[in-house]
Amino acid sequence: MNEVSVTNASDSPKQPSCCDQVSKPLHTFKAGWVAYYNQNIFFAGMSLAFLYMTVLGFDCITTGYAYTQGLNGSILSLLMGASAISGICGTVAFTWVRKKCGLIRTGFISGTAQLCCLMLCVVSVFAPGSPFDLSVSPFQDLYTHLMGEQTLPVAEHSLTDALSRNATTAPPAQELPPLQSYMSVSLLFAGVIAARVGLWSFDLTVTQLIQENVMESERGVINGVQNSMNYLLDLLHFIMVILAPNPEAFGLLVIISVSFVAMGHIMYFRFAFKSLGSRLFLCCSAEQKVEMDNSPSLPTTV
């Protein structure tokens, strides 16, 4: 009986210590990043994450800027509809271009198309009607934008006194001056809408590359790290807007956004050129089918 009790005590699992419980998430984070870095699609995944660091999308930031430029809700609704149609065209173009040129070349073509369309947004910064002004500091009244007014308005003694005082002494309401030219905002939204074709096609390309080039046992870890990178860069673009909230600095945000998109596509070009070499520029080569069939990194169970 004593021998049995000693054996059972030695076979019981050891309870993890407090330090092990604290360090376990850090080890998991490190292991996920090491696995993500060792993948051959590392630069392709990072290129997709860099595309999230942009204000050139139909979100609350661009909508707020459009309102400051004199656009109303009806026009913005039409522009959003055009953006959705453009994105659907990008998904259709992805299947057609991939059939003709291959998956890696599709990402290169769609990325180049997106970057060329975003050049219209850069031109809009310097076009007539743009509020871009470097003399106005982006950090002007930053504390007021973040914390709001510190002093509360003094309450009136009576409603009749307030009405009589406003009727006699209140100055007339000042209207905003009309916008001199809509060329800047038109070029901005034309570039954003046209770039959705390349953006959606590039997104599908990188997602498909991850699905085809990552082992099934590691696919969940790699997708988790990829999503975390996407959300991190998305958070950084909101922080960038918080630091420069005035319309005069929106042109600077546009230039920074296009720069991040360009860096992302440079990363993808490095991945594509490393994978195909000079064959990257042969978009409709006859060797495409052989290239896809002989690729050792593509599993047959996808």
Side-chain angles (χ1 to χ4, degrees), residues 13 17 47 76 79 140 213 259 273 284 287 289:
S17 62
S47 66
L76 281 176
L79 292 176
Q140 185 178 5
N213 289 270
S259 301
F273 192 80
C284 297
E287 60 184 279
K289 184 176 179 181

Side-chain angles (χ1 to χ4, degrees), residues 210-288:
I210 294 175
Q211 294 296 320
E212 293 183 359
N213 289 270
V214 178
M215 297 177 57
E216 187 176 357
S217 59
E218 298 182 351
R219 201 170 294 163
V221 177
I222 302 304
N223 280 305
V225 177
Q226 181 66 49
N227 289 333
S228 65
M229 282 300 301
N230 296 343
Y231 295 145
L232 177 61
L233 271 297
D234 192 31
L235 175 64
L236 289 180
H237 106 269
F238 283 110
I239 295 176
M240 181 176 63
V241 175
I242 292 174
L243 296 177
N246 51 330
E248 291 81 7
F250 188 79
L252 183 61
L253 302 184
V254 170
I255 296 174
I256 294 175
S257 300
V258 176
S259 301
F260 270 86
V261 173
M263 286 188 291
H265 289 309
I266 289 173
M267 292 181 183
Y268 185 84
F269 176 77
R270 177 178 178 180
F271 159 77
F273 192 80
K274 183 179 180 181
S275 301
L276 298 180
S278 59
R279 294 177 299 166
L280 175 64
F281 306 102
L282 303 176
C283 295
C284 297
S285 60
E287 60 184 279
Q288 179 60 33

Side-chain angles (χ1 to χ4, degrees), residues 59-171:
D59 52 4
C60 55
I61 299 170
T62 311
T63 303
Y65 175 75
Y67 281 124
T68 62
Q69 297 302 297
L71 300 183
N72 54 26
S74 301
I75 297 178
L76 281 176
S77 300
L78 294 176
L79 292 176
M80 288 181 182
S83 174
I85 295 174
S86 177
I88 295 173
C89 293
T91 59
V92 176
F94 165 76
T95 58
W96 183 80
V97 177
R98 182 189 179 183
K99 185 182 298 184
K100 295 293 183 180
C101 305
L103 185 60
I104 297 179
R105 294 187 182 95
T106 301
F108 176 70
I109 295 172
S110 59
T112 304
Q114 181 194 7
L115 194 59
C116 292
C117 294
L118 290 181
M119 290 297 106
L120 292 176
C121 301
V122 178
V123 174
S124 70
V125 176
F126 308 98
S130 174
F132 182 59
D133 189 3
L134 292 178
S135 62
V136 179
S137 175
F139 306 102
Q140 185 178 5
D141 299 330
L142 178 61
Y143 184 82
T144 304
H145 285 291
L146 293 178
M147 305 302 297
E149 298 291 340
Q150 293 184 347
T151 59
L152 296 176
V154 180
E156 300 290 344
H157 294 287
S158 63
L159 181 59
T160 57
D161 295 340
L163 292 176
S164 60
R165 187 178 296 108
N166 290 333
T168 57
T169 62

